[in-house]
Amino acid sequence: MDEALLRSLTPGVLAILVRRGADFAAAEDAVQDALLQAVRVWPADPPRDAKGWLVTVAWHKFLDATRADAARRRREDLVDEEPAPGTAPAVDDTLRLYFLCAHPSLTPASAVALTLRAVGGLTTCQIAQAYLVPEATMAQRISRAKRTVSDVRFDQPGDVATVLRVLYLVFNEGYSGDVDLAAEAIRLTRQLAAAIDHPEVAGLLALMLLHHARRAARTAPDGSLVPLAEQDRGRWDTALIAEGVGILQAALVRDRLGEFQAQAAVAALHADAPTAEETDWVQIVEWYDELTRLTDSPVVRLNRAVAVGEADGPRAGLAALAALDASLPRYAAVAAYLHERDGDLATAARLYAEAAHKAPNLAERDHLTRQAARLNARGCR
């Protein structure tokens, strides 16, 4: 079963059902039921037209559910409009669906969560981690969003800022794991940049390109993580870096700074340094100061503490870190790194082990465990 194929087809099938009159929640349920049937049927009897098969089956599922709901019997007249089996139109509705999910009746946070779940393909757990909330809390938020839009027509697209937030989170999830997810986020952001003259759209595209340019160097042949300072910069994609920097510079000269442009500026400074030692950390701290002003995000403040530690020494970094909540994701990893640079290897080893225990994925956990083991071995000598 080609799970990547199913995931790539899902947005288009969902969009077709919505265009034909299905409310969003019912359409999503019908598409999920069709996907489950595909998992059961396709291994033994694969269809010639995968998208057409999914559209037909999902539409049947929607009609069956509609007939069973007495309060929605008015939808039964849509039976005659059932799409005929055959090749579905090769239209990319994904970006349009992103905008429709950012419906004005939803708060931006709810719209982002709903779109990530329904269109972006992220699990509730992944979305909860991105928002730093418990999974149960995020599940409730998504359920409330579905209820809010269950009876609305999706003919009022949401705003660009909400769509950008969704694309950013989809890319981040892909950047740390599924390369196809990251590539899809870049593709959609390119489409958006071509359609809308907006400096933050350009800033997000530049940010994605600059990060994606480093992807090949982020892991060793055995799959282990390679920290930025240790990466082989000869493996970075210079064409993507040049494109990202050019897009960013064109956006910055418009003097309408936003958080994605500021993040891209940090990434550009890393990309511009021939070696890790030549990184302009003073400028990076200044950009993190701008980001703090724009977002007041605890994650931004955490990254700023690392930059301060590089620019002004590890004790300055630890002082900046002390003002933050120790329960922040990756707080222990940052503290471990700064303590190691300050020469306190025992504390650093303990914090690396603590960070490994809290790591959100296996690759990061293994990396932090190795860091702890390395320092413990040095302490035994």
Side-chain angles (χ1 to χ4, degrees):
M1 173 56 60
D2 190 344
E3 294 182 6
L5 173 62
L6 285 177
R7 185 172 58 205
S8 68
L9 292 175
T10 297
V13 175
L14 184 57
I16 289 172
L17 265 65
V18 170
R19 286 205 308 270
R20 290 183 175 272
D23 67 73
F24 187 86
E28 184 190 14
D29 290 341
V31 172
Q32 292 300 320
D33 288 341
L35 293 175
L36 290 174
Q37 187 165 332
V39 171
R40 292 193 297 268
V41 173
W42 285 11
D45 186 20
R48 284 177 298 179
D49 175 18
K51 186 174 182 181
W53 188 98
L54 285 172
V55 169
T56 301
V57 172
W59 186 255
H60 279 297
K61 297 290 186 183
F62 165 69
L63 292 178
D64 289 344
T66 299
R67 294 189 189 100
D69 186 353
R72 301 181 187 274
R73 290 191 180 277
R74 66 184 184 279
R75 297 178 188 269
E76 290 187 355
D77 62 346
L78 295 176
V79 172
D80 294 335
E81 298 179 22
E82 177 182 338
T87 302
V91 177
D92 185 357
D93 295 297
T94 308
L95 189 58
R96 177 175 179 271
L97 200 56
Y98 270 62
F99 272 93
L100 293 177
C101 287
H103 197 272
S105 64
L106 295 172
T107 65
S110 294
V112 169
L114 179 62
T115 313
L116 288 171
R117 182 72 185 91
V119 190
L122 273 63
T123 67
T124 303
C125 180
Q126 289 171 321
I127 301 169
Q129 289 175 350
Y131 271 88
L132 310 180
V133 299
E135 184 175 353
T137 301
M138 183 54 65
Q140 291 174 354
R141 183 180 299 177
I142 294 172
S143 295
R144 285 196 300 270
K146 287 182 179 180
R147 288 196 299 271
T148 299
V149 300
S150 62
D151 291 318
V152 303
R153 295 288 296 183
F154 280 81
D155 54 4
Q156 292 181 274
D159 67 351
V160 174
T162 301
V163 174
L164 288 179
R165 178 62 51 188
V166 175
L167 290 169
Y168 174 67
L169 292 174
V170 170
F171 176 81
N172 277 351
E173 198 61 42
Y175 186 66
S176 61
D178 188 340
V179 64
D180 292 331
L181 202 58
E184 173 69 356
I186 291 174
R187 183 183 72 84
L188 292 172
T189 307
R190 284 190 186 279
Q191 285 187 8
L192 188 57
I196 299 176
D197 183 18
H198 192 299
E200 271 294 82
V201 175
L204 179 58
L205 179 57
L207 176 64
M208 290 179 175
L209 295 175
L210 289 165
H211 278 308
H212 208 59
R214 302 201 302 258
R215 187 176 184 90
R218 292 184 69 245
T219 54
D222 62 359
S224 59
L225 289 181
V226 180
L228 176 62
E230 300 171 20
Q231 288 176 16
D232 177 0
R233 299 184 179 220
R235 299 185 65 197
W236 290 0
D237 188 327
T238 55
L240 280 185
I241 290 173
E243 183 185 3
V245 169
I247 291 170
L248 173 63
Q249 289 175 338
L252 289 176
V253 297
R254 300 177 65 177
D255 198 24
R256 289 169 55 195
L257 183 65
E259 63 171 299
F260 295 124
Q261 295 169 71
Q263 286 191 56
V266 171
L269 286 167
H270 284 297
D272 188 54
T275 65
E277 293 73 23
E278 295 174 86
T279 303
D280 190 342
W281 287 106
V282 173
Q283 271 204 71
I284 289 177
V285 171
E286 292 173 355
W287 278 113
Y288 274 125
D289 288 339
E290 289 287 352
L291 267 170
T292 301
R293 179 182 62 80
L294 289 166
T295 68
D296 197 28
S297 163
V299 175
V300 168
R301 292 181 182 275
L302 186 68
N303 291 333
R304 180 183 180 278
V306 176
V308 169
E310 298 289 354
D312 301 327
R315 295 198 177 181
L318 287 168
L321 190 65
L324 303 179
D325 185 347
S327 66
L328 275 173
R330 297 186 172 88
Y331 180 100
V334 170
Y337 173 74
L338 292 172
H339 277 290
E340 180 183 357
R341 287 202 59 223
D342 196 39
D344 187 350
L345 302 189
T347 299
R350 175 180 58 78
L351 288 168
Y352 275 130
E354 178 185 331
H357 180 70
K358 299 176 180 178
N361 57 66
L362 182 61
E364 192 169 331
R365 186 190 70 189
D366 289 347
H367 170 72
L368 293 167
T369 299
R370 285 193 295 271
Q371 296 294 86
R374 172 179 58 82
L375 295 186
N376 283 326
R378 286 176 59 183
C380 293
R381 293 174 186 170

